[in-house]
Structure formats: structure tokens, C-alpha cells
Amino acid sequence: MQLADSNKTTEYTCGTEPTTKNKTGEWSYLVPYRENRLSPCSQACLLDGAIPLWMEAVKRGAWADAWSIMKEKNPFPAITGHVCFHPCTDQCNRKEFDAALKIHEVERAIGEWRLQQNEPEAPTVRLSKTVAVIGSGPAGMSCAYYLNRMGYQVTVYEKAAVVGGMLALGIPEYRMPRWILEQELKLLEEEGIEFITNCQVGQQLMLSELYDQHDAVFLA
């Protein structure tokens, strides 16, 4: 992956195959070489998060690059950085040297950096097709985010009075500050996604009506 960084091209690389343990013994005649392999932390990541790529970008101070890499698999790192139980940390091979890296805290920092920018990312193209997303929890928010990036007009229907699903109704404040969810939802709205609350499909609105009104329906 190549990204622009300070008017120059920066290359970030990540392997696709799992790592294997190095052979030990009398191997001094062999010349070592670098080979990109899928890191243990990426193997453990529930989102296939290309961890080495955005970790390297943060190391270089290239926060915009880190966000560009992150959002391809995870559009809400400020949220996941708080609530994920981060199995990646348990697999970090840095712990064999001194201590595992706090990967989830770096992930959270990238997400909070993105929120501090407070800049909506409008799609480059806008299609005429519309999609209805039923449910505004993590799956619904993610679906809406990526469909909107592709140019579709997205409407999210939520039966509760608030948007966010279990993020708003199931996770306590001490686990995830509410301002993070509020800011994420605000950006989604500014990017063109519409949220309709107090609308339970099957009661206030029938599924057949959504099929008539939209080109596709995603049940989250």
C-alpha cells in the first residue's frame, strides 16, 4: 500500500502468509533476508486490521496515512479501541523481547485523531440507487458507512429512540464515552446518511414497503 506523506510517497507493506518460527542451531552460513509475512497480531485481529501498516504509519507520525489504512477494514477505531478485548495484544511477539505493544490504545488514538479533525468524507460519486439498512448498531453503521463511500444513498431505520444499537443501549459509559459515539454518528449524518428512529420494521413500516422504496435492503 502506498500513501502520500509530506509530498512524498511512503510505502507500507504487510505479509499475507502466517509467520513461522526461525530455525536455530549452526546456521551461520545462511544469509538472512527480509520476507513479509502475516504478523501474529493481524492473525488474531477480529477485523483483519492490517495492524503493522497503521502502527508503522503512527510511528512515522503520519496520522492521515494511519487513518487511510485503518478505515479500509475498520471505520470506527475510536469505538473498537475502547470496547474490543484486543486479542492482538496477547499475540504480539514484542512480548518475547520485553512487553507486548498496547495495540488497542494506538487504534483508539487513530480514531480520536480522526474525530478531532471533524471533517466529513463525502463520496466522490453519488449514485441514484438507494439502500435501506435495518438496525443502527455496529453492523448497520458499518454497512451504511461503506455503502455511502461507494456512492449509494443510505437510510438507516432504528426501532429505538436513539441511534447506535447496543453501542448506545448496551455498553456502559465507563467502557465507551458517549461523546465518541455521538461524534461518529454526527459525521455519518454530515456525510449524507439518513437515520430514522422510532421505526420498527414490521410495525410502523413493513418490509415490503422498504423493498418498494429502495433498490436493496440490508437487515442488520
Side-chain angles (χ1 to χ4, degrees):
M1 178 179 291
Q2 292 186 340
L3 298 172
D5 178 19
S6 302
N7 299 321
K8 61 182 180 181
T9 299
T10 302
E11 182 175 356
Y12 300 94
T13 60
C14 182
T16 57
E17 299 296 330
T19 56
T20 56
K21 293 185 178 180
N22 294 327
K23 296 179 179 180
T24 59
E26 296 180 356
W27 296 84
S28 59
Y29 62 91
L30 294 178
V31 178
Y33 68 99
R34 180 167 180 166
E35 183 176 4
N36 290 321
R37 291 287 185 175
L38 185 63
S39 63
C41 56
S42 291
Q43 293 181 59
C45 180
L46 303 177
L47 290 174
D48 187 22
I51 294 172
L53 277 68
W54 49 260
M55 289 286 282
E56 176 65 21
V58 171
K59 178 182 176 181
R60 299 181 183 184
W63 291 90
D65 282 3
W67 165 242
S68 294
I69 296 168
M70 175 74 74
K71 68 182 179 182
E72 293 304 312
K73 296 291 185 179
N74 179 10
F76 309 115
I79 293 176
T80 56
H82 275 89
V83 302
C84 181
F85 60 94
H86 48 89
C88 54
T89 300
D90 295 333
Q91 297 300 317
C92 178
N93 55 19
R94 176 75 187 187
K95 66 183 179 182
E96 304 299 330
F97 179 73
D98 46 20
L101 299 176
K102 296 185 181 299
I103 301 172
H104 66 293
E105 293 189 6
V106 180
E107 177 182 13
R108 183 190 310 167
I110 295 172
E112 293 184 358
W113 175 90
R114 183 271 191 281
L115 294 180
Q116 290 170 1
Q117 305 309 302
N118 196 29
E119 296 179 358
E121 298 179 346
T124 55
V125 296
R126 180 58 77 184
L127 306 176
S128 60
K129 295 184 178 296
T130 66
V131 179
V133 175
I134 304 174
S136 66
M141 288 173 57
S142 299
C143 178
Y145 172 85
Y146 286 114
L147 286 174
N148 186 64
R149 282 188 62 191
M150 296 169 64
Y152 293 96
Q153 301 179 41
V154 184
T155 302
V156 181
Y157 297 87
E158 169 59 51
K159 69 178 181 180
V162 295
V163 179
M166 292 303 293
L167 294 175
L169 302 174
I171 299 177
E173 172 80 17
Y174 72 85
R175 183 71 178 182
M176 185 190 68
R178 284 295 176 267
W179 72 266
I180 291 178
L181 177 59
E182 293 170 358
Q183 185 67 12
E184 294 283 14
L185 293 172
K186 176 184 176 183
L187 285 171
L188 291 179
E189 289 180 332
E190 291 178 350
E191 290 169 357
I193 298 172
E194 181 183 5
F195 292 93
I196 299 178
T197 57
N198 295 309
C199 183
Q200 183 171 356
V201 175
Q203 293 189 12
Q204 287 83 6
L205 184 66
M206 302 306 294
L207 186 59
S208 58
E209 295 181 71
L210 289 180
Y211 284 130
D212 293 336
Q213 297 171 12
H214 300 277
D215 296 287
V217 175
F218 179 77
L219 179 58

